[in-house]
């Protein structure tokens, strides 16, 4: 079972790029890396998912090195509304669905 | 993605009673999960509910305390039985497809307070 490690909290200012790194040293060959965002009093929201190299969507980018033992979520030009908790999860192999376990997450605080 | 609703959104219950939380999805999904989240804490997986089979519970959670039903591919319920103040928490359901890559979609949660 892949365990993830993230910084507990991060501070940033509006307009800056924020990079949140997650360590997952024992990721399995068929595991995907998925990131979620959670606002207070809401359920987590799927942000982005990847397997290797780089993935980009309208919200964020996900960078995964060749060894896949870590990943970095990149949020371009954050705003106050990006203040939330961000969770990194690994698992979910196709045809062999694994359960997901949420780590502590990273609380991002965006300041004006 | 899927749209998930939960009922009730919040409730205040007396100790010793039971509460059933409903999770409704707007499309058919293979996997449904129930989580618990204490205020300010991360999510803890309670059980996995697949249609047509018994729920699979995580360590520390038992069927007598948290019975789950999954009668079809769009609906599930979680009952919190014989409640105590320690059961006060937010309960969330999520869904995923085995044909996907494991991305989950979450409901808004049910905030339970036990007095």
């Amino acid at each position: 079972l892949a365990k993830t490690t993230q910084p507990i909290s991060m501070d940033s200012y509006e307009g800056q790029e924020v990079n949140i790194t997650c360590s997952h040293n024992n990721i399995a060959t068929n595991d995907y890396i998925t990131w979620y965002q959670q606002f207070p009093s809401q359920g987590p929201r799927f942000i982005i998912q990847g397997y290797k190299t780089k993935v980009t969507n309208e919200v964020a980018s996900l960078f995964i090195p060749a060894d896949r033992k870590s990943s970095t979520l990149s949020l371009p030009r954050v705003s106050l509304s990006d203040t939330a908790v961000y969770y990194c999860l690994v698992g979910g192999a196709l045809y062999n669905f694994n359960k997901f376990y949420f780590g502590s997450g990273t609380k991002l605080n965006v300041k004006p | 993605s899927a749209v998930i609703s939960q009922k009730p959104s919040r409730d205040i219950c007396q100790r010793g009673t039971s509460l059933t939380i409903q999770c409704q999805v707007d499309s058919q999904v293979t996997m449904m999960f129930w989580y618990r989240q204490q205020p300010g804490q991360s999510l803890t997986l309670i059980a996995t509910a697949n249609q047509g089979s018994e729920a699979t519970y995580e360590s520390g959670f038992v069927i007598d305390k948290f019975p789950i039903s999954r009668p079809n591919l769009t609906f599930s319920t979680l009952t919190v039985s014989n409640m105590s103040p320690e059961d006060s928490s937010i309960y969330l359901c999520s869904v995923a497809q085995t044909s996907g890559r494991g991305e989950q979609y979450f409901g808004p949660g049910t905030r339970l307070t036990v007095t």
Side-chain angles (χ1 to χ4, degrees):
Chain A
L1 185 65
K3 178 181 176 181
T4 60
T5 303
Q6 304 174 231
I8 296 297
S9 65
M10 295 181 66
D11 289 333
S12 181
Y13 290 92
E14 281 190 293
Q16 289 186 332
E17 177 185 75
V18 171
N19 296 308
I20 305 174
T21 297
C22 178
S23 297
H24 28 79
N25 291 319
N26 57 342
I27 186 170
T29 301
N30 52 5
D31 281 342
Y32 285 86
I33 300 159
T34 310
W35 285 79
Y36 295 86
Q37 175 192 57
Q38 186 177 30
F39 297 113
S41 301
Q42 295 185 24
R45 181 176 76 102
F46 172 84
I47 300 177
I48 196 167
Q49 183 182 68
Y51 184 80
K52 61 180 179 180
T53 63
K54 177 183 175 182
V55 179
T56 298
N57 62 22
E58 65 279 4
V59 177
S61 295
L62 179 60
F63 298 92
I64 306 169
D67 66 4
R68 302 194 338 118
K69 293 183 182 299
S70 67
S71 59
T72 299
L73 175 72
S74 181
L75 304 172
R77 298 181 298 281
V78 294
S79 64
L80 295 176
S81 62
D82 292 317
T83 294
V85 178
Y86 293 82
Y87 294 99
C88 158
L89 280 78
V90 295
L94 190 63
Y95 303 127
N96 183 24
F97 194 88
N98 298 319
K99 289 170 286 190
F100 288 100
Y101 294 89
F102 281 76
S104 60
T106 298
K107 186 173 183 179
L108 173 65
N109 182 30
V110 180
K111 303 175 183 179
Chain B
S1 65
V3 177
I4 302 111
S5 61
Q6 287 185 233
K7 290 181 180 180
S9 59
R10 60 177 60 221
D11 207 341
I12 301 173
C13 302
Q14 292 189 344
R15 80 170 59 215
T17 62
S18 298
L19 176 71
T20 296
I21 302 168
Q22 298 178 6
C23 180
Q24 180 74 54
V25 190
D26 68 342
S27 58
Q28 294 185 340
V29 293
T30 45
M31 312 285 286
M32 295 185 80
F33 305 90
W34 287 97
Y35 289 86
R36 183 170 72 180
Q37 186 175 33
Q38 303 283 358
Q41 302 296 315
S42 183
L43 287 79
T44 300
L45 181 65
I46 298 172
T48 302
N50 296 332
Q51 193 264 341
S53 63
E54 290 189 6
T56 302
Y57 290 84
E58 297 301 303
S59 175
F61 298 96
V62 295
I63 187 172
D64 290 345
K65 175 68 175 177
F66 298 100
I68 289 171
S69 76
R70 178 82 197 272
N72 56 53
L73 293 175
T74 63
F75 187 78
S76 178
T77 65
L78 169 75
T79 299
V80 186
S81 304
N82 188 25
M83 288 184 285
S84 66
E86 292 71 36
D87 294 319
S88 297
S89 189
I90 298 170
Y91 292 85
L92 296 135
C93 71
S94 73
V95 304
Q97 299 283 20
T98 50
S99 60
R101 297 174 179 176
E103 61 269 30
Q104 296 181 71
Y105 298 93
F106 285 81
T110 295
R111 182 181 294 272
L112 171 62
T113 302
V114 184
T115 60

